[in-house]
Amino acid sequence: MKFSGNRRIVAAGAVAALVVGVPALATAADQHQDNTKAASKAIVGGKARNVILLIGDGMGDSEITIARNYQVGAAGRLSMDKLPLTGAYTTYAVQKNNPKLPDYVTDSAASGTGWATGTKTYNGAISVDPKGKPLPTILELAKKAGYRTGDVTTAELQDATPAVLGSHVVSRDCKGPQSMTACPANAKENKGAGSIAEQLVQTKPDVLLGGGKQYFDQTVQGGKYKTLTVLQQAQVSGYHIVTDLAGLTKAPANKPILGAFAPNNMDLEWTGPQPTPNGTPAATCAVNTARDAKQPHLVDMAKKAISVLDKQTQDSKKGFFLQIEGASIDKQDHAANPCGQVGETVAFDKAVDEALKYQKDHPDTLVVVTADHAHTSQIVEAGTKTTGATATLRTHDGADMTISYATAPLGTDQQHTGTEVRIAAGGPQAANVLGVTNQTDLFYTMRRALGVS
Ligand code: MG
Ligand code: ZN
């Protein structure tokens, strides 16, 4: 691994242009103008033709700030910073055995069920209530009402965030027909609706893109498709299957597309220093040269999903619902990997930029950018030690930023945290993210925007 200089490669040209000619760094993005007119113009009620929801998994304010400082500098702005209306939402789950009591630290399954169905549930639940009863999701309701739908992630498609949109199981671990130990009642051989992989294919979003091929390769254990793999089931059901970037690029818009680009999660964008109890010398991040070049980046998947859904709805009264997840912000926070985390946040931000570009030409699109829960990483005084582990990155500003991971002993999984997170939006119904709301309110905001019930 080498860390020097590569950050300049990944920094966009436009970013450099932002700071050119600005006399003092601290004033680079300070606007000082009266924003009243712009804010009131951004408040639009009524229905949206399309909804694009972008979820940065584990992307709390801390993760956003770290990525901003690193990539565009403290006074710079990421694409996700440019949405016109911003609020905060609370993310807590509820206790499985006593759903009247909050579980203050949610996982992606309970929080996903929250925004996807409007109901609070327990950690590990995939769009089922605390009793295990399936709850209709925003994607399912949209599809039923005639919208085209899409579900995109850098994780396994069976991972919690994409799973909550099109499947209902009592445990997030039940990813494939041969991984059903935790969900006997949901298993096909017991007359259940099947694993997450099977149910996603049965729900049949028009676009399904991500990792998790290993679960699509498992064999169905009961029902109509018994003895086929889930991937074969998808093919029989009309899906066009792709497994690499070239296939994705060529995939026609006249068929639903299932892209499974990695056996498990997709490869990371960046690598860099590992934190230690005594810190690290200041370093910059490097492009992950071990990344499989045949895998699309999140922005490639976002572009394709938007273009396919747009084409599919050109002659239709109804538009589309699309979810795009930057999944490994969370996973690299768990792994205490600062460059991993920042690289995924920057890649997610490119997908946000793509959604905002589409919205510019299609102002009847609601774009929401948020997280499912907050996470570990904290910016601490440069060069200091904490009770956990720290690493120091040299940022776009040319200054040193020390990042601490201290929610679990080093070498074990770092933990989610329970603070509220940012929710930002633009387009019809965006005003409903203002103030402090609850994660479950997002379901109702999107439902109102699409006019479905
Ligand atoms: Mg996720
Ligand atoms: Zn997590």
Side-chain angles (χ1 to χ4, degrees):
M1 279 190 279
K2 63 177 174 48
F3 307 126
S4 61
N6 284 314
R7 187 168 58 81
R8 307 286 172 244
I9 299 167
V10 287
V15 166
L18 259 182
V19 289
V20 168
V22 173
L25 181 66
T27 61
D30 293 347
Q31 295 296 316
H32 301 303
Q33 80 226 13
D34 183 351
N35 193 38
T36 310
K37 268 195 185 147
S40 69
K41 207 180 144 206
I43 296 176
V44 185
K47 271 180 68 177
R49 179 173 168 81
N50 315 298
V51 172
I52 305 177
L53 170 65
L54 297 113
I55 302 275
D57 197 313
M59 192 184 69
D61 282 338
S62 195
E63 285 69 28
I64 295 172
T65 310
I66 290 168
R68 183 194 302 121
N69 288 349
Y70 184 81
Q71 185 69 357
V72 294
R77 290 293 177 263
L78 299 167
S79 291
M80 70 176 90
D81 295 327
K82 293 172 187 163
L83 282 113
L85 303 171
T86 294
Y89 73 10
T90 56
T91 65
Y92 63 94
V94 296
Q95 297 181 17
K96 188 170 185 177
N97 297 323
N98 188 357
K100 285 194 182 118
L101 285 182
D103 184 337
Y104 292 116
V105 181
T106 188
D107 75 344
S108 300
S111 59
T113 302
W115 57 254
T117 74
T119 302
K120 291 274 180 192
T121 192
Y122 60 91
N123 281 343
I126 300 291
S127 289
V128 295
D129 72 8
K131 291 192 169 127
K133 190 175 148 252
L135 300 157
T137 75
I138 187 70
L139 184 147
E140 291 164 348
L141 294 173
K143 190 178 163 80
K144 214 167 133 192
Y147 289 89
R148 295 293 183 134
T149 59
D151 198 5
V152 173
T153 183
T154 51
E156 295 169 338
L157 272 162
Q158 303 81 5
D159 202 26
T161 311
V164 295
L165 286 165
S167 65
H168 309 266
V169 290
V170 296
S171 164
R172 60 183 294 167
D173 294 337
C174 302
K175 295 180 176 179
Q178 293 173 285
S179 308
M180 293 300 284
T181 321
C183 315
N186 302 123
K188 266 275 151 76
E189 59 272 34
N190 298 330
K191 310 263 185 283
S195 63
I196 294 169
E198 292 163 278
Q199 289 193 44
L200 282 177
V201 166
Q202 284 149 205
T203 300
K204 211 173 175 187
D206 300 280
V207 180
L208 268 177
L209 306 176
K213 187 166 181 294
Q214 59 174 326
Y215 298 105
F216 288 123
D217 286 336
Q218 288 190 2
T219 304
V220 176
Q221 301 293 305
K224 191 174 156 192
Y225 302 102
K226 192 173 171 175
T227 74
L228 296 188
T229 66
V230 184
L231 210 59
Q232 289 167 331
Q233 173 183 344
Q235 210 153 15
V236 174
S237 324
Y239 269 107
H240 178 81
I241 314 279
V242 295
T243 54
D244 60 13
L245 175 60
L248 179 67
T249 308
K250 280 187 294 195
N254 63 357
K255 268 181 117 181
I257 304 170
L258 195 166
F261 305 108
N264 33 6
N265 300 316
M266 292 172 69
D267 292 346
L268 297 181
E269 299 286 348
W270 293 1
T271 59
Q274 271 314 114
T276 77
N278 292 314
T280 66
T284 54
C285 302
V287 168
N288 176 20
T289 50
R291 182 180 186 282
D292 180 355
K294 289 207 229 55
Q295 290 183 15
H297 298 276
L298 183 58
V299 71
D300 301 322
M301 297 195 286
K303 263 189 202 170
K304 182 71 181 190
I306 292 171
S307 105
V308 163
L309 292 169
D310 180 70
K311 273 194 197 123
Q312 289 179 344
T313 53
Q314 237 148 43
D315 301 318
S316 157
K317 262 198 218 153
K318 298 275 170 76
F320 61 83
F321 168 84
L322 169 63
Q323 189 280 135
I324 299 168
E325 183 198 18
S328 291
I329 303 165
D330 166 83
K331 296 183 194 307
Q332 294 313 301
D333 230 321
H334 280 297
N337 178 4
C339 285
Q341 167 190 328
V342 173
E344 296 307 301
T345 312
V346 169
F348 174 72
D349 198 53
K350 287 184 186 162
V352 171
D353 192 53
E354 209 48 49
L356 293 178
K357 271 193 223 148
Y358 182 80
Q359 190 195 41
K360 211 167 184 190
D361 297 332
H362 304 84
D364 50 359
T365 302
L366 169 64
V367 174
V368 180
V369 181
T370 189
D372 50 354
H373 55 76
H375 221 304
T376 305
S377 55
Q378 289 291 330
I379 304 166
V380 296
E381 205 47 66
T384 56
K385 280 197 243 177
T386 66
T387 55
T390 61
T392 297
L393 300 182
R394 185 145 302 163
T395 70
H396 179 86
D397 295 316
D400 291 349
M401 170 172 62
T402 296
I403 304 165
S404 168
Y405 296 86
T407 54
L410 192 59
T412 65
D413 242 23
Q414 296 293 315
Q415 302 290 310
H416 300 169
T417 53
T419 68
E420 63 194 32
V421 296
R422 176 199 290 195
I423 175 166
Q429 296 296 331
N432 290 296
V433 307
L434 292 174
V436 178
T437 58
N438 201 325
Q439 189 153 52
T440 42
D441 292 325
L442 174 55
F443 166 75
Y444 295 99
T445 298
M446 295 190 292
R447 199 177 78 167
R448 194 180 305 114
L450 294 171
V452 299
S453 55

